[in-house]
Amino acid sequence: MKIGIVGAGHIGGNLTRRLRALGHDVSVANSRGPQTLSELAEETGATAVPVAEAAHGADIVVVTIPVKNIPDLPAGLLDGATEGFVLIDTGNYYPQRDGRIAGIEDEGLTESRWTERQLGHPVVKVFNATYAQDLLDKPRPAGAADRIALPLTGDDEEAKKTVTSLLDELGFDAVDAGGLDESWRQQPGTPVYGLAAGADEVVAALAAATPERPAQFRA
């Protein structure tokens, strides 16, 4: 597949590494310009591009930037993606970094629902509850006893199937945690956040979550 990645931090960088190793055509962008991604491009064979070009021809677009920066993405960012493309959001709302976002704090939107509204396209939330290093260190073959599962949420069932297949290819099981309004179950401060465990434990952790956002994750 052709995959566009917006953001080259820990998650974006390691996804670039893994997806290129699997043979996908990856374009990667960050806010500082493609010239700052030359080392990652050389290491992985990915193509460094301006943010406005990251989605061009992409079957999957991954947005993995601080939540506060979502509204600053170029207008029409997603216009060049393929028909039926899948949009992945890996973001977490950290008020200490992102400041106060009224839609999340006052309207009670999940952070990914807020992001979806900013981007104008359905999103699948995934990769937000795992550590970036796990993307490199934790992949295991299907059926392995120590294979870990990652939660995902979204309203588009076909998009979730695509993401589930991608996770399997990356070496992880997937646990469907429901629609995007259920994505609070995998937000920071929940039992599944940072959990490296199998599907049964992930299901139990999701069920144990409560909707009250912990104080340290509120503005």
Side-chain angles (χ1 to χ4, degrees), residues 99-113:
R100 191 176 192 280
I101 295 178
I104 296 173
E105 295 284 350
D106 299 336
E107 296 179 47
L109 297 175
T110 62
E111 46 209 40
S112 285
R113 181 66 76 191

Side-chain angles (χ1 to χ4, degrees), residues 9-36:
H10 297 303
I11 293 287
N14 284 350
L15 280 175
T16 299
R17 293 179 176 94
R18 290 298 322 287
L19 292 167
R20 279 296 302 141
L22 291 168
H24 294 290
D25 179 359
V26 178
S27 295
V28 60
N30 69 4
S31 61
R32 295 178 295 137
Q35 71 281 357
T36 67

Side-chain angles (χ1 to χ4, degrees), residues 42-61:
E42 183 175 353
E43 173 196 343
T44 63
T47 303
V49 297
V51 172
E53 298 176 14
H56 286 185
D59 304 300
I60 295 177
V61 179

Side-chain angles (χ1 to χ4, degrees), residues 47-102:
T47 303
V49 297
V51 172
E53 298 176 14
H56 286 185
D59 304 300
I60 295 177
V61 179
V62 182
V63 174
T64 178
I65 64 175
V67 174
K68 67 178 180 179
N69 294 338
I70 294 290
D72 298 328
L73 289 170
L77 169 69
L78 304 173
D79 289 350
T82 62
E83 185 176 355
F85 78 97
V86 174
L87 179 60
I88 290 174
D89 168 39
T90 78
N92 288 316
Y93 173 50
Y94 300 111
Q96 299 88 340
R97 177 197 67 189
D98 298 315
R100 191 176 192 280
I101 295 178

Side-chain angles (χ1 to χ4, degrees), residues 59-190:
D59 304 300
I60 295 177
V61 179
V62 182
V63 174
T64 178
I65 64 175
V67 174
K68 67 178 180 179
N69 294 338
I70 294 290
D72 298 328
L73 289 170
L77 169 69
L78 304 173
D79 289 350
T82 62
E83 185 176 355
F85 78 97
V86 174
L87 179 60
I88 290 174
D89 168 39
T90 78
N92 288 316
Y93 173 50
Y94 300 111
Q96 299 88 340
R97 177 197 67 189
D98 298 315
R100 191 176 192 280
I101 295 178
I104 296 173
E105 295 284 350
D106 299 336
E107 296 179 47
L109 297 175
T110 62
E111 46 209 40
S112 285
R113 181 66 76 191
W114 181 86
T115 294
E116 179 182 81
R117 291 187 179 183
Q118 306 304 306
L119 296 176
H121 189 278
V123 307
V124 176
K125 186 181 185 74
V126 69
F127 300 121
N128 75 296
T130 190
Y131 296 115
Q133 192 62 33
D134 288 351
L135 296 174
L136 302 182
D137 296 343
K138 302 289 188 183
R140 298 292 187 272
D146 59 346
R147 197 184 213 212
I148 70 171
L150 304 183
L152 62 89
T153 48
D155 299 329
D156 185 326
E157 294 302 321
E158 288 303 313
K160 287 198 286 187
K161 288 178 183 177
T162 298
V163 174
T164 295
S165 295
L166 185 67
L167 288 177
D168 181 52
E169 191 179 356
L170 286 165
F172 303 98
D173 289 334
V175 171
D176 187 341
L180 202 62
D181 290 332
E182 292 295 305
S183 63
W184 57 267
R185 295 183 182 275
Q186 65 195 73
Q187 290 176 173
T190 61

